[in-house]
Each structure stands twice: as structure tokens, then as C-alpha cells.
């Protein structure tokens, strides 16, 4: 798996308790608001951070949410969810949607994250962890 240089990110939030999910969602939401993202995109970003954080807590036990703003002629918010958990066993099924190992779950988490964002990459290795990297470009109106 690709190494992450944590010092390149403006926000690094540890996920070790359920309360950290709320902290991560609110902190990244504030960054997106301050950067001028639309209300619709801020809502999508908050939803994605919540889902990624919950996955870390539920499946890996602990991990990190990282976020940074990049300016490449347009503002891009990059979010990374990183853990050293068990990895995702059936990644292709998870990305198709409708597959979950959790009772009473619709299995739409990562497939939904992919649909809400403008960029999506995932690496997962059994016994080594999972890294999800997503991007949202600031829309111009």
C-alpha cells in the first residue's frame, strides 16, 4: 500500500471512539465551509466523512481521517481515511453496493461515498489495512 505523508495534511483526526466520528465530520465540514464550498457540497462532504469515519471505527477499531485543501486553478478538498485494520475481504462486492458484513446494513457505504465525490481511490490489503482517498472540486456558479 502507498505510504501517506501525514504532515502534508491540514487536518489529522484520530478515530478511536464513536465520538470521534462527530468530531471528524464537523471539523472537515468547517474546513469546506471556510473554503467556500456550496451548501450542497458541504453536506456531501460531511456525509462522506461520517461514513468513512464510521467504517474505521466499526471495522478497524482505529485509524485517521486526514484532509487538506489544494489549489490547482480550482479548490479541491482531499480527504483520506486510513487504517491498519483487517482490510476489506470482498472489495469488488463492497464497491458494487448492497453488500455488507454488518447486520441491518444496506451495504451502500463505500459505493455511496464514490457517487458523492468527484474522485475516489481505494487500496485495501488483507491484514494490513485500508486507505480511501476522495476529492471534491469546488463548483463555480
Amino acid at each position: 500500500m502507498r505510504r501517506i505523508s501525514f504532515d502534508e495534511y491540514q487536518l489529522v483526526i484520530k478515530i478511536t471512539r464513536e465520538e470521534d466520528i462527530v468530531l471528524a465530520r464537523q471539523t472537515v465540514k468547517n474546513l469546506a465551509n471556510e473554503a467556500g464550498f456550496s451548501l450542497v457540497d458541504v453536506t456531501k462532504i460531511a456525509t462522506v466523512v461520517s461514513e468513512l469515519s464510521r467504517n474505521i471505527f466499526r471495522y478497524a477499531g482505529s485509524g485517521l481521517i486526514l484532509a487538506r485543501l489544494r489549489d490547482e486553478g480550482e479548490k479541491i478538498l482531499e480527504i483520506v481515511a486510513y487504517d491498519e485494520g483487517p482490510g476489506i475481504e470482498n472489495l469488488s462486492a463492497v464497491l458494487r453496493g448492497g453488500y455488507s458484513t454488518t447486520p441491518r446494513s444496506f451495504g451502500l457505504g463505500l459505493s455511496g461515498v464514490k457517487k458523492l465525490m468527484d474522485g475516489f481511490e481505494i487500496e485495501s490489503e488483507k491484514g494490513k489495512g485500508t486507505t480511501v482517498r476522495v476529492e471534491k472540486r469546488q463548483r463555480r456558479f
Side-chain angles (χ1 to χ4, degrees), residues 57-122:
F57 180 72
R58 182 180 288 155
Y59 299 110
S62 66
L64 299 170
I65 294 291
L66 303 100
R68 68 178 169 183
L69 281 169
R70 300 191 330 253
D71 194 339
E72 298 174 3
E74 62 183 338
K75 286 184 186 170
I76 300 169
L77 178 60
E78 178 185 340
I79 301 160
V80 175
Y82 172 85
D83 70 66
E84 295 178 350
I88 300 171
E89 188 126 351
N90 196 343
L91 187 56
S92 60
V94 168
L95 291 176
R96 272 195 309 274
Y99 175 88
S100 179
T101 58
T102 303
R104 296 184 313 275
S105 170
F106 292 114
L108 299 174
L110 285 177
S111 62
V113 165
K114 185 176 181 179
K115 289 176 185 172
L116 290 173
M117 300 302 276
D118 299 321
F120 177 91
E121 297 174 15
I122 185 167

Side-chain angles (χ1 to χ4, degrees), residues 38-52:
S38 71
L39 178 59
V40 169
D41 285 343
V42 168
T43 302
K44 289 178 182 179
I45 289 163
T47 301
V48 163
V49 171
S50 184
E51 179 62 31
L52 294 174

Side-chain angles (χ1 to χ4, degrees), residues 22-39:
V22 176
L23 176 66
R25 179 178 60 228
Q26 192 60 46
T27 305
V28 177
K29 183 179 173 182
N30 289 345
L31 179 64
N33 264 324
E34 291 168 11
F37 281 79
S38 71
L39 178 59

